Amino acid sequence: MPDNPVVPRPEYPRPQFVRAAWQCLNGTWQFERDPGDSGLERGLLDRDLTGEIVVPFCPEAPLSGIGDPDFHPAVWYRRTVQVPDEWAGQRVLLHFQAVDHDATVWVDGVEAGRHRGGFTPFTCDLAAAADPAHTYTVVVRARDPRTGPQARGKQATTYEGRGARYGRTTGIWQTVWCEPVPSTHLRRPRITPNVAASAFRVTVPVPGGRAGHEVRVTVSDQAGEVARARSRAGLDLSAELWLPLPDDRVRLWSPEDPHLYDLRIDLLDGDGAVSDTATSYAGLRSVTLDGHAVLLNGEVRFQRLVLDQGYYPDGLMTAPTDEALRRDIELAVAAGFNGARLHQKVFEERYLYHADRAGFLVWGEFGDWGANTGGPPGDNQQPTASFVTQWLEAVERDYSHPSIVGWCPLNETWQRLHDRITVLDDVTRGMYLATKAADPTRPVLDASGYAHRVAGADIYDSHCYEQDPEVFGRLMAGLAEGKPFVNADRDGTAWSVPYAGQPYFCSEFGGIWWNPGARPGESSWGYGERPTSEDEMQERFAGLVAVLLDDPRMFGYCYTQLTDVFQEQNGVYRFDRTSKLDVSRIRAAQQRPAAIERAATPSGS
């Protein structure tokens, strides 16, 4: 198999836990479709495959070199991995950042791991003690059934995308890579900022921690070392370190000043020598609730969010380049947004790295669409136990990113509320409680829009695509009396438990259908009537935004959406990220202080 002259997506894929030695395995792999999912019986594990694909792009994406949008019930990958000489005597970890949806990995014909879930990473051992003279053969089978409950996000279950569902992603769609580690090694840390104490708490798992080993964490800024702490590694499953910062070195992370501290994490053996080391970074910031407001670092911060679905014409769910991820944040900021709902997808971690550096506020969400099996009203949502496990993997991966200011495990799980406890009730409550247990530092929204099933959840919200600003204002006005707009079935049957007075925002609105360049016969849609001119579109946008900015109990909003996505053409930008309107007017409509900000007084002082 020829080597790729240029390795696609070559940047380090795990930017908050970096080791110096690693090998990117993106590029050309052998590939074969398995439409009957009979490949194991037909010997695909043991022979060369008939085609090729460019990893990390999925076979449906043009950038993969295949670009086949049809269904792929099972696909197979194969390539060889040569371990560098300098890795001799160490364990070699093989990482898959995301494979959709059920993956099995074999190394030299022996099963090395299995994973279910299309959005989160998993790891296998290449070998317990790598032999630099040995070339490993890695084979991956990915299964992606068309039917049944599955966390698909926006992937269509019809051949062509329609409405708010788009093309599919099957198999490997994020970076594959490997790294050497000693037998006793560091695992990914949890970094918890504590603004009240001007400190970081760093929890570092050390599997197989040995007596005499220690973990050392050093915090630095541009002027040098700020704090250092050590903890024995052999007494507990995880070493926990407390790192208070001197008053003159405290600098909070915020959109205006997204300051990041550098962290170095060392594992010391019994002789005090460094046996494993990794670098990371952290932002010192807090998120809390005060009445109807959400506070950042103790101050009211109106969240001007935009819905970002993270699709690209040539890569589908995979950004064509790392620069494309950063560029999407820049486009949002240019349009006046200070954050985003990362919608129906667990984004590549590199996106969060860029958000951390830009001071961009993010709500992390799970791609839960796919649980609606179309059953009888009141029992149509059938999420499985794997929704909980996949979501917890996402929270664990992204816990330490300062840009994330809230979690949303579910979205628009519409189902009638009745007097029986259903699977949806159990899973919604389970995902909410699991999120709160995994991360007590951020607010959690049980389900965006509907169906709210956790009484007294941290946040309450609604989705409203009314296009007339005057009517929209009347719908939103009930919040002043504690009776906000709540999504319900067409006949008024409730989907959600009642609002309980918690912070509230309209987390989807707008979606104005504006595509002046639409070709005759092109599939195109947005919400409401298409404006007849850009002036009409801009006036509608400003009017809708004004309703929410002027509500003293509204803590934020999320406008639909950043870009067009295939047939859904209601973005601020076109699908290819080019301009289709005067972005400066979109920005200007959002810049005045929100009512909840104007009414705020310093909290916690």
Side-chain angles (χ1 to χ4, degrees), residues 331-342:
L331 291 173
V333 172
F337 301 101
N338 63 8
R341 275 184 66 204
L342 305 185

Side-chain angles (χ1 to χ4, degrees), residues 574-592:
R574 292 190 175 93
F575 196 16
D576 64 4
R577 276 60 176 173
T578 58
S579 296
K580 64 176 180 178
L581 50 77
D582 184 351
V583 171
S584 67
R585 293 179 65 180
I586 297 292
R587 179 180 180 84
Q590 303 186 73
Q591 291 310 293
R592 58 189 172 84

Side-chain angles (χ1 to χ4, degrees), residues 163-164 166 309 525 527 560-561 564-570:
Y166 323 118
Q309 306 204 62
W525 75 275
Y527 292 92
T560 302
Q561 61 181 324
D564 297 344
V565 185
F566 294 104
Q567 68 276 357
E568 187 174 354
Q569 298 179 347
N570 51 19

Side-chain angles (χ1 to χ4, degrees), residues 257-272:
D257 182 21
H259 175 70
L260 298 171
Y261 292 91
D262 294 320
L263 272 69
R264 178 185 172 97
I265 305 162
D266 296 315
L267 181 64
L268 310 177
D269 65 19
D271 297 324

Side-chain angles (χ1 to χ4, degrees), residues 214-437:
E214 288 189 325
V215 173
R216 180 179 64 199
V217 176
T218 305
V219 179
S220 303
D221 61 15
Q222 290 181 340
E225 183 174 315
V226 177
R228 179 182 294 199
R230 294 167 73 135
S231 173
R232 286 186 286 179
L235 297 177
D236 302 288
L237 288 176
S238 296
E240 189 165 286
L241 302 95
W242 180 250
L243 294 113
L245 310 180
D247 290 344
D248 63 347
R249 306 291 282 277
V250 172
R251 187 172 166 188
L252 299 185
W253 182 96
S254 69
E256 295 76 23
D257 182 21
H259 175 70
L260 298 171
Y261 292 91
D262 294 320
L263 272 69
R264 178 185 172 97
I265 305 162
D266 296 315
L267 181 64
L268 310 177
D269 65 19
D271 297 324
V274 175
S275 60
D276 190 17
T277 188
T279 59
S280 186
Y281 65 85
L284 186 64
R285 66 99 186 91
S286 67
V287 183
T288 190
L289 311 179
D290 185 3
H292 295 96
V294 177
L295 279 58
L296 184 73
N297 299 332
E299 298 181 356
V300 174
R301 173 77 58 166
F302 192 84
Q303 297 184 23
R304 297 165 174 82
L305 309 178
V306 67
L307 198 76
D308 188 348
Q309 306 204 62
Y311 271 80
Y312 301 86
D314 49 1
L316 301 186
M317 288 204 301
T318 312
T321 63
D322 188 58
E323 170 62 21
L325 294 171
R326 186 176 66 85
R327 180 62 176 153
D328 280 357
I329 296 171
E330 293 175 344
L331 291 173
V333 172
F337 301 101
N338 63 8
R341 275 184 66 204
L342 305 185
H343 188 50
Q344 278 304 292
K345 173 186 168 184
V346 178
F347 276 46
E348 299 176 53
E349 194 178 350
R350 294 286 306 186
Y351 179 99
L352 298 176
Y353 166 74
H354 294 301
D356 293 339
R357 291 163 60 88
F360 195 63
L361 308 178
V362 166
W363 279 77
E365 184 177 311
F366 185 51
D368 68 286
W369 277 17
N372 184 12
T373 59
D379 290 288
N380 49 287
Q381 299 282 351
Q382 295 291 320
T384 66
S386 72
F387 281 57
V388 184
T389 58
Q390 293 172 52
W391 172 241
L392 282 176
E393 288 178 343
V395 173
E396 184 64 29
R397 190 199 77 173
D398 296 340
Y399 174 91
S400 300
H401 286 282
S403 57
I404 296 181
V405 296
W407 296 114
C408 179
L410 298 167
N411 174 77
E412 290 189 353
T413 45
W414 62 270
Q415 180 172 288
R416 291 189 168 200
L417 191 66
H418 48 67
D419 66 349
R420 287 181 291 105
I421 297 173
T422 67
V423 170
L424 177 64
D425 295 293
D426 286 335
V427 171
T428 303
R429 184 168 182 81
M431 294 179 81
Y432 179 85
L433 293 176
T435 310
K436 295 296 292 182

Side-chain angles (χ1 to χ4, degrees), residues 130-178:
D131 176 359
H134 185 70
T135 299
Y136 296 94
T137 298
V138 175
V139 175
V140 181
R141 179 190 59 200
R143 287 169 159 152
D144 195 13
R146 178 177 180 177
T147 60
Q150 181 192 115
R152 293 184 174 88
K154 288 298 192 79
Q155 299 179 65
T157 55
T158 55
Y159 174 71
E160 292 185 342
R162 61 182 64 172
R165 289 174 173 80
Y166 323 118
R168 286 162 294 284
T169 293
T170 299
I172 297 170
W173 68 277
Q174 290 186 33
T175 291
V176 185
W177 58 294
C178 59

